[in-house]
């Protein structure tokens, strides 16, 4: 009976510790947001895109590829969403390579470009269609050659602007 009481006390102690830790983290986050607001910095917008496909249909292969590309995929994503993100990564890296010659760009530049591509309806739709129309040879190519059009120009302009800042 005494061991059960000790286990019960340990569980309660751990629960209280985790609860207090969570409160501390939430207060620190609120303090950071308040400091950003006081300094005039706009809070960082993570960006968003509309949902595609049936949620929860992401494949293991897509999950593996997303992790290899520094994403933390959710099991709630659809196969279409995962494909779009992977295509956007391929597209933006190809634009960076064509604009700068850099094959391994900084992650902060890539994050800003992904936000631009997935957050802009026109560019997102173009990249989605571009991904659907790629051949197997193009899909296996490390640096696909992209058509220079208005979408390419918009992403390239952002690349050059971000490149100057970094």
């Amino acid at each position: 009976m005494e061991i059960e009481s000790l286990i019960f006390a340990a569980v309660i102690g751990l629960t209280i510790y985790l609860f207090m830790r969570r409160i501390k983290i939430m207060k620190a986050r609120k303090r950071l947001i308040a400091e950003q607001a006081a300094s005039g910095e706009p809070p960082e917008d993570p960006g968003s895109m509309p949902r595609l496909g049936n949620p929860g249909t992401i494949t293991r292969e897509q999950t593996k590829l997303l992790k290899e590309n520094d994403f933390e995929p959710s099991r709630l994503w659809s196969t279409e969403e995962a494909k779009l993100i992977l295509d956007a990564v391929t597209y933006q890296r190809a634009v960076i390579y064509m604009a700068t010659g850099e094959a391994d760009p900084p992650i902060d530049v890539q994050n800003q470009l992904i936000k631009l591509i997935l957050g802009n309806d026109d560019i997102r739709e173009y990249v989605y269609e571009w991904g659907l129309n790629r051949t197997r040879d193009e899909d296996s190519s490390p640096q696909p050659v992209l058509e220079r059009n208005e979408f390419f120009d918009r992403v390239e302009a952002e690349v050059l602007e971000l490149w100057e800042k970094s």
Side-chain angles (χ1 to χ4, degrees):
M1 192 66 137
E2 203 170 294
I3 293 176
E4 291 173 352
S5 297
L6 288 174
I7 292 172
F8 184 68
V11 168
I12 289 177
L14 180 64
T15 303
I16 291 171
Y17 167 76
L18 292 174
F19 180 72
M20 296 302 285
R21 184 171 163 242
R22 179 74 177 146
I23 289 174
K24 187 177 178 182
I25 291 170
M26 287 177 20
K27 283 182 181 179
R29 187 174 295 149
K30 284 181 183 179
R31 192 175 330 117
L32 178 66
I33 291 171
E35 287 173 4
Q36 285 178 340
S39 69
E41 293 179 28
E44 186 176 323
D45 178 23
S48 64
M49 69 177 205
R51 298 299 308 255
L52 302 171
N54 295 325
T57 57
I58 187 171
T59 66
R60 290 179 197 263
E61 180 67 22
Q62 288 175 323
T63 300
K64 179 180 160 232
L65 290 171
L66 285 163
K67 285 181 179 180
E68 288 173 3
N69 285 289
D70 300 321
F71 282 88
E72 189 56 46
S74 169
R75 292 176 26 192
L76 299 176
W77 290 357
S78 69
T79 54
E80 294 83 1
E81 289 166 333
K83 180 170 180 10
L84 175 58
I85 292 168
L86 289 167
D87 289 340
V89 168
T90 302
Y91 187 84
Q92 59 112 10
R93 286 182 180 164
V95 172
I96 292 170
Y97 184 75
M98 290 174 70
T100 67
E102 180 68 44
D104 189 24
I107 195 74
D108 57 326
V109 170
Q110 293 184 62
N111 287 341
Q112 291 298 318
L113 290 174
I114 287 293
K115 190 186 295 187
L116 170 73
I117 292 170
L118 297 178
N120 183 292
D121 293 339
D122 297 334
I123 299 174
R124 182 181 56 248
E125 185 62 33
Y126 174 77
V127 169
Y128 182 74
E129 293 294 324
W130 172 81
L132 291 176
N133 294 322
R134 291 172 61 200
T135 64
R136 285 189 181 160
D137 290 340
E138 291 172 330
D139 203 23
S140 64
S141 171
Q143 294 297 340
V145 178
L146 303 175
E147 174 186 346
R148 290 187 174 268
N149 56 26
E150 66 177 290
F151 305 107
F152 179 91
D153 292 341
R154 287 164 63 186
V155 175
E156 182 183 40
E158 185 72 16
V159 166
L160 296 174
E161 182 179 321
L162 291 169
W163 213 256
E164 287 179 16
K165 291 179 184 177
S166 64

